[in-house]
Amino acid sequence: MAKIIVVTSGKGGVGKTTSSAAIGTGLALKGHKTVIIDFDIGLRNLDLIMGCERRVVYDFVNVINGEANLKQTLIKDKRTDNLFILPASQTRDKDALTKDGVERVLNELAKDFDFILCDSPAGIEAGAMMALYFADEAVVVTNPEVSSVRDSDRILGMLSSKSRRAEQGLDAIKEHLLLTRYNPERVEKGEMLSVDDVKEILSIDLLGVIPESQAVLNASNSGQPVILDAESDAGQAYLDTVDRLLGEKVPFRFLTVEKKGLLKRIFGG
Amino acid sequence: MSDQTLELKGSLFPLSVLSCPDLSVSALQTQLSQKLAQAPAFFYQAPIILNLTDCQQTPDFIAIKQLFTELKLVLVGVCGASSTLKQQAQQAGLAALQLGKDSKAAAVAAAPASKAAPAVNTVSVAMDSKVVEQAVRSGQQIYAKGTDLIVKGTVGAGAEVIADGNIHIYGTLRGKAIAGAAGDSSKRIYCYNLQAELVSIAGNYWLSESLQGEFWSKSACVKLQDDQLVLAELV
């Protein structure tokens, strides 16, 4: 049975799509058949981050409306086996998603895939609610600043009250905290909330901490999920995150300021 | 994503109550017409409640309703009616309302077995407290009607917990907590870590700036003393 995971945040621009692309790719690299669905109808971004924007023929809304089938619509990732993308429609709006339609598509995908990743749009409106409604687990992407934390708290409330699991009285959605754009130097200076601050406020399990990194922007612009850049700190942090999502115990890295060695200090690093 | 399109909520509306010793159609017609002539626009299509408190006769509700329609008034219901009159009014399609002050008497009449019920809070002798097992998140609102509220998790910033009774919070209180919401000033708020946006007891409230100090980020009890909120140690 496929596991449906929603990547959500409430606030925009915190790294939902970057994280969806990275985690989806990571799961596929581990041999799990994975599909990432872009729920951000009207503002499709996932295909850009995944570098498959030129290969979009049909989209999620077409499948819901029965204008195309899944086989025609799913885009197979060229770099990673086991990875597929279901792109959003650029020309519709979020009302094009119906609960029945989404459920039908998810059920069909569940037959073939191990993981279904739902990349949620920002906000708490219909689109975001639709992305989280059918979820079994949720990755709540949060930046270490107050407004992002507040919005994540709001989304956590939605997860526990507005989801299918909540409405049908099933086991609650498993909630994970993914802290992105973490900058230990600024935390030390008191300019940013620390991991512990955020954990304390949201009181959910920490899944990963992704350091603020130039690699993320480079990866996005070149249409390559940052997790494939295994040299980068962000890429490694996402690899750890995927391991934890699969139930492994991995120590957290990149939480403290790296002490620069003498050579690095002289030659720069 | 809710399928709900239908919503039922309680609201308060200003309504005009008409009292007249003689409720025969002819008497009403002459007196109402005179009254309306003074300010025809003011009462145009105004919703009216008919007061039957001192009513000795049996009014013809259907005819009165007809009269109101002709006079461009809307008769929506009656108040202060005896049970027979109430029934007749209801048959004529009118709502039977209770005047604020006689609601208690009516409640007693409706349940003669239970002794007089003076206030909401004292009735709830063995009323179960409302228990919330998880965190109350930003944007959520929890109301414990007529009883205590126990929250085992944290109350997030932007969340609201309200109880007619006491409020106990075993996590951190970052949102708003309103105890004694029905007006009982003996109720209290107990919490393990006070960082609230607002605390209120029986309508007396403090914002977070008044809470800074000795008890901020510590366990505390909020109570009302001589109509003044005070903070005290939890244990």
Side-chain angles (χ1 to χ4, degrees):
Chain A
M1 186 61 197
K3 206 175 253 178
I4 304 176
I5 303 176
V6 61
V7 180
T8 184
S9 71
K11 194 170 166 61
V14 295
K16 284 182 296 296
T17 303
T18 301
S19 298
S20 300
I23 294 172
T25 306
L27 289 168
L29 285 173
K30 289 263 170 185
H32 302 283
K33 201 170 177 197
T34 303
V35 56
I36 315 175
I37 307 177
D38 191 350
F39 271 81
D40 205 348
I41 310 297
L43 290 172
R44 56 171 236 233
N45 284 162
L46 179 69
D47 47 312
L48 289 171
I49 306 268
M50 294 297 297
C52 63
E53 72 276 12
R54 288 166 203 280
R55 294 163 59 209
V56 176
V57 181
Y58 295 109
D59 58 55
F60 193 16
V61 174
N62 291 136
V63 182
I64 285 178
N65 293 345
E67 294 150 5
N69 63 33
L70 271 176
K71 212 173 159 214
Q72 293 169 303
T73 312
L74 284 175
I75 303 175
K76 189 179 182 318
D77 191 79
K78 281 190 171 161
R79 294 163 298 237
T80 319
D81 283 342
N82 301 318
L83 183 59
F84 292 81
I85 289 107
L86 184 53
S89 173
Q90 185 100 67
T91 50
R92 310 293 183 91
D93 60 40
K94 291 180 174 67
D95 301 329
L97 298 180
T98 60
K99 211 188 260 186
D100 293 341
V102 172
E103 185 173 24
R104 208 178 56 238
V105 174
L106 289 176
N107 284 341
E108 210 176 320
L109 288 169
K111 288 182 211 153
D112 275 347
F113 287 90
D114 303 321
F115 286 98
I116 302 173
L117 234 59
C118 303
D119 180 22
S120 170
I124 52 170
E125 276 74 48
M129 292 299 105
M130 199 66 80
L132 67 78
Y133 185 74
F134 295 100
D136 302 309
E137 296 192 17
V139 174
V140 179
V141 183
T142 307
N143 286 169
E145 52 93 31
V146 282
S147 61
S148 175
V149 173
R150 172 76 66 98
D151 291 358
S152 295
D153 196 45
R154 185 94 169 90
I155 277 292
L156 285 164
M158 299 284 187
L159 287 167
S160 60
S161 62
K162 296 278 161 71
S163 61
R164 173 172 64 174
R165 282 174 172 269
E167 281 179 7
Q168 297 181 356
L170 307 168
D171 290 344
I173 292 180
K174 208 165 154 195
E175 301 154 340
H176 308 278
L177 172 63
L178 180 62
L179 207 54
T180 53
R181 300 225 170 119
Y182 195 70
N183 186 332
E185 276 175 33
R186 299 191 65 186
V187 172
E188 264 186 13
K189 285 187 203 153
E191 295 171 353
M192 213 179 235
L193 294 174
S194 73
V195 178
D196 291 331
D197 290 340
V198 180
K199 259 171 74 179
E200 218 259 313
I201 295 174
L202 294 179
S203 52
I204 55 171
D205 286 338
L206 186 63
L207 178 71
V209 180
I210 312 300
E212 192 164 41
S213 165
Q214 194 60 44
V216 174
L217 189 62
N218 291 344
S220 298
N221 285 337
S222 61
Q224 181 127 307
V226 68
I227 198 168
L228 293 174
D229 184 0
E231 300 283 296
S232 69
D233 46 1
Q236 291 172 25
Y238 271 118
L239 285 169
D240 290 355
T241 301
V242 170
D243 286 342
R244 285 189 209 104
L245 193 60
L246 292 169
E248 285 174 47
K249 287 243 180 293
V250 186
F252 287 94
R253 296 192 273 173
F254 315 110
L255 297 189
T256 48
V257 180
E258 222 178 299
K259 297 260 184 325
K260 281 189 179 173
L262 185 64
L263 285 176
K264 258 199 174 170
R265 246 185 277 169
I266 293 170
F267 298 109
Chain B
M1 159 184 0
S2 81
D3 281 334
Q4 267 184 313
T5 48
L6 188 133
E7 225 178 7
L8 262 181
K9 276 185 184 166
S11 268
L12 295 169
F13 297 98
L15 289 173
S16 304
V17 177
L18 175 72
S19 303
C20 182
D22 187 356
L23 287 177
S24 65
V25 178
S26 54
L28 271 175
Q29 177 157 31
T30 25
Q31 295 192 43
L32 261 177
S33 306
Q34 281 170 13
K35 193 88 187 161
L36 291 178
Q38 295 168 7
F42 188 74
F43 287 106
Y44 181 75
Q45 296 293 12
I48 307 278
I49 303 287
L50 198 57
N51 187 354
L52 302 177
T53 314
D54 304 316
C55 179
Q56 305 299 329
Q57 70 233 82
T58 306
D60 182 349
F61 288 113
I62 295 181
I64 293 177
K65 214 172 148 184
Q66 182 68 37
L67 170 70
F68 272 61
T69 314
E70 283 164 17
L71 294 173
K72 304 276 185 263
L73 295 169
V74 185
L75 183 60
V76 290
V78 299
C79 65
S82 66
S83 50
T84 32
L85 280 183
K86 200 190 267 180
Q87 233 171 19
Q88 288 180 6
Q90 281 166 341
Q91 274 166 7
L94 297 173
L97 306 171
Q98 288 174 353
L99 272 177
K101 51 182 182 285
D102 65 6
S103 58
K104 216 178 280 172
V108 175
S114 69
K115 294 240 169 76
V120 179
N121 288 298
T122 42
V123 200
S124 56
V125 187
M127 192 103 141
D128 281 339
S129 300
K130 188 179 177 84
V131 182
V132 178
E133 299 279 346
Q134 68 283 19
V136 184
R137 301 290 183 181
S138 173
Q140 288 183 312
Q141 192 186 51
I142 305 244
Y143 175 36
K145 191 174 166 56
T147 184
D148 285 2
L149 176 63
I150 299 168
V151 182
K152 289 169 89 175
T154 288
V155 177
E160 269 179 46
V161 288
I162 307 167
D164 291 341
N166 301 297
I167 297 179
H168 308 255
I169 298 161
Y170 292 96
T172 305
L173 170 59
R174 293 198 180 83
K176 299 179 182 172
I178 296 156
D184 188 341
S185 54
S186 70
K187 299 305 174 201
R188 295 179 179 189
I189 298 167
Y190 305 88
C191 71
Y192 258 66
N193 189 333
L194 179 70
Q195 300 178 28
E197 287 170 352
L198 176 148
V199 291
S200 162
I201 292 172
N204 299 274
Y205 69 88
W206 269 355
L207 294 173
S208 68
E209 51 192 41
S210 321
L211 299 168
Q212 309 288 335
E214 203 190 337
F215 291 100
W216 187 254
S217 295
K218 301 216 170 59
S219 65
C221 163
V222 187
K223 58 186 176 184
L224 208 53
Q225 232 167 43
D226 306 325
D227 280 343
Q228 275 283 311
L229 286 179
V230 284
L231 294 176
E233 286 189 21
L234 191 59
V235 281

